Amino acid sequence: MRTCYTGEVSKAYLGQTVTLFGWVHRRRDHGGVIFIDLRDRAGLAQVVVNPDNAQAFEIAERIRNEFCLRITGTVHARPEGTVNPDLQSGEIEIICDEIEILNASMTPPFQLDDDNLSETTRLTHRVLDLRRPQMQNNLMLRYRVAMESRKFLDELGFIDIETPMLTKSTPEGARDYLVPSRVNAGEFFALPQSPQLFKQMLMVSGFDRYYQITKCFRDEDLRADRQPEFTQIDCETSFLTEEQIRDIFESMLRHIFKTVQQVELPDPFPTMTWHEAMRCYGSDKPDLRVKLEFTDVADLMQDVDFKVFSAPANDPGSRVVALRVPGGGSMPRSEIDAYTKFVGIYGAKGLAYIKVNDITAIPEGLQSPIVKNIHTDALQKLLERTGAQNGDLIFFGADKTSVVNDAIGALRIKIGHSEFGREQGLLEKSWKPLWVVDFPMFEYDAEEGRYTAAHHPFTSPKDGHEEYLETDPSQALAKAYDLVLNGWEIGGGSVRIHRAEIQSKVFNALKIGPEEANLKFGFLLDALQYGAPPHGGLAFGLDRLVTLMAGADSIRDVIAFPKTQRAQCLLTQAPSEVDEKQLRELHIRLRAVEPK
């Protein structure tokens, strides 16, 4: 019987005999005395095997890294000068009485304390990778976040209700993962992209406070903060306003941070409209730790000789912005060239800049190839509007609005997080939560010549914006809100449509006719006719939230068995081919595919 976890042995156990289980993290032979660092999920403890215990010593000589052991011994204080303050067990050691090898181990393919492992190696040998202390800490953190979420929601009367994993395909944006039906030939289930439709029907059913921590699936291009299967803390509630819903989940996030990490988040969280976020930062999930903002200067550039600026300045679909970098005048040309290459990733054709050497001398005090093509009045107003000082650097973005937002928005983050940005104090070391609200209801798809839902087609318009659904959908704003933390969207939701006449207007704006609406969403539309209450909700991305709290680089570091960016599991070699018999049972015939 285990006395306690290995990493929990402390001075409280001095003089006691303890029995511990764990794995050999490290074995050291020091002049006839063998030291074993025994490890379990709680941490390490040092075990001392003396040669006068012949039986235990003989076993210890055969032990190697990652052997699984049972050890019984007496807890002693470490000799003076050997205390390890970084460990809970660092003041004690266990003098071994008995050792039992529960299972030997092959030589591991890597050292568990190697911090330079490739991700391919880690994911291929994920079982061993998960033994590493940092991975154990990440998954324990994930567990605590999930538990505190449950406790908080339970106290507010939210009920955990499961929704189906095999459901109807209603693709809206990302592709569905499809599951063929053996029983119903030629028909398919879809794995849910979210429980959206079911949680709305639960509101109609009278379960006015629902939640679940659930898997969702999206067949989309992957990156560091995306997975084909991911986990949401999914919540829905009835009879509350948008502001009341946000208050609940803002309190929930503060509770999680305070109880799990002893961090006090600001109260209340700041709120910013979507239009303001795009205007100031070019992003709907701005990292407010970076102390750089856009300055719109299109009106100053409409009559300059520099066509790179004047053309977009006179184009309603384009944008010209300045990004002032305090102290940036000290940047070497090589760094500026590197940033020019960087913004090219986002479609920018170049990166114009001006170094401000002397604001009292225009244009002589400004250093840039473009200065000669911009008249003095525009330069003077540019310096005034941006608040430029001597020694500053001003970068420019001039292109289609989407390109400027993406390129200069990414540049802002790149500079803020760079060594230069940290040295100049452009990156604040803190937690910066933010509500982004008043999103557009629709996005225009030029290729298809119609509007699409920016969030989903059941999002309610803001009060007074119902008339735009018929007159000008581009002006309609939604009761939608995202919760952003340090530049990551960690949660999002909306108030839903609960009145049939509003839902009909939204479908008309989306050019979804009654037949198509009934085919895709008939079961929800039918349910909404039976006294549907006003309702809304929010879903937190558990993976993203824990990634931020753990300080990890990727959500793959907080998921036990993740997929790669090619949506593959290197541990199990999934996805994989299946035999012809299985395909026949599922009524599927494969086309020939190009060799990989």
Side-chain angles (χ1 to χ4, degrees), residues 292-311:
L292 300 173
E293 291 189 16
F294 290 11
T295 303
D296 282 297
V297 294
D299 60 314
L300 305 181
M301 301 298 166
Q302 290 176 337
D303 62 349
V304 301
D305 293 334
F306 192 42
K307 298 297 183 185
V308 172
F309 283 3
S310 60

Side-chain angles (χ1 to χ4, degrees), residues 479-500:
K479 292 182 179 179
Y481 35 83
D482 280 355
L483 185 52
V484 178
L485 183 63
N486 290 6
W488 283 40
E489 178 197 331
I490 60 168
S494 67
V495 173
R496 326 302 185 187
I497 297 168
H498 69 283
R499 290 162 47 201

Side-chain angles (χ1 to χ4, degrees), residues 159-269:
I159 301 170
D160 184 355
I161 304 176
E162 294 180 355
T163 54
M165 283 296 165
L166 296 176
T167 185
K168 183 180 178 65
S169 178
T170 57
E172 291 292 329
R175 298 180 183 89
D176 283 333
Y177 276 101
L178 299 178
V179 180
S181 171
R182 178 184 60 81
V183 178
N184 301 286
E187 296 183 349
F188 293 79
F189 295 105
L191 300 179
Q193 295 191 28
S194 82
Q196 180 62 48
L197 303 183
F198 287 102
K199 67 184 179 183
Q200 288 191 246
M201 288 188 288
L202 286 170
M203 295 301 102
V204 181
S205 299
F207 297 97
D208 65 312
R209 293 198 169 190
Y210 138 96
Y211 87 96
Q212 65 174 321
I213 299 178
T214 185
K215 285 285 188 185
C216 302
F217 305 85
R218 291 179 190 168
D219 187 4
E220 59 186 343
D221 294 334
L222 305 182
R223 59 190 187 209
D225 61 347
R226 283 183 180 170
Q227 280 280 289
E229 53 178 323
F230 56 97
T231 305
Q232 286 186 177
I233 308 172
D234 196 60
C235 310
E236 195 81 1
T237 184
S238 298
F239 309 117
L240 296 182
T241 66
E242 175 185 347
E243 291 75 17
Q244 290 169 330
I245 293 171
R246 293 208 312 262
D247 285 346
I248 286 177
F249 296 110
E250 179 176 317
S251 297
M252 176 174 155
L253 193 64
R254 271 197 298 272
H255 169 80
I256 289 170
F257 268 80
K258 184 174 182 178
T259 54
V260 175
Q261 291 195 312
Q262 294 74 54
V263 169
E264 296 277 357
L265 294 181
D267 183 8
F269 293 175

Side-chain angles (χ1 to χ4, degrees), residues 400-445:
K400 295 295 182 184
T401 298
S402 60
V403 173
V404 171
N405 288 343
D406 291 346
I408 306 303
L411 177 66
R412 171 182 172 270
I413 299 300
K414 183 82 168 175
I415 293 173
H417 286 261
S418 68
E419 183 178 350
F420 168 85
R422 292 192 296 271
E423 289 175 351
Q424 292 291 319
L426 302 181
L427 182 67
E428 186 177 336
K429 293 182 178 179
S430 62
W431 292 101
K432 289 287 188 179
L434 172 71
W435 284 109
V436 179
V437 301
D438 294 355
F439 281 77
M441 278 203 69
F442 306 105
E443 297 170 347
Y444 189 72
D445 188 326

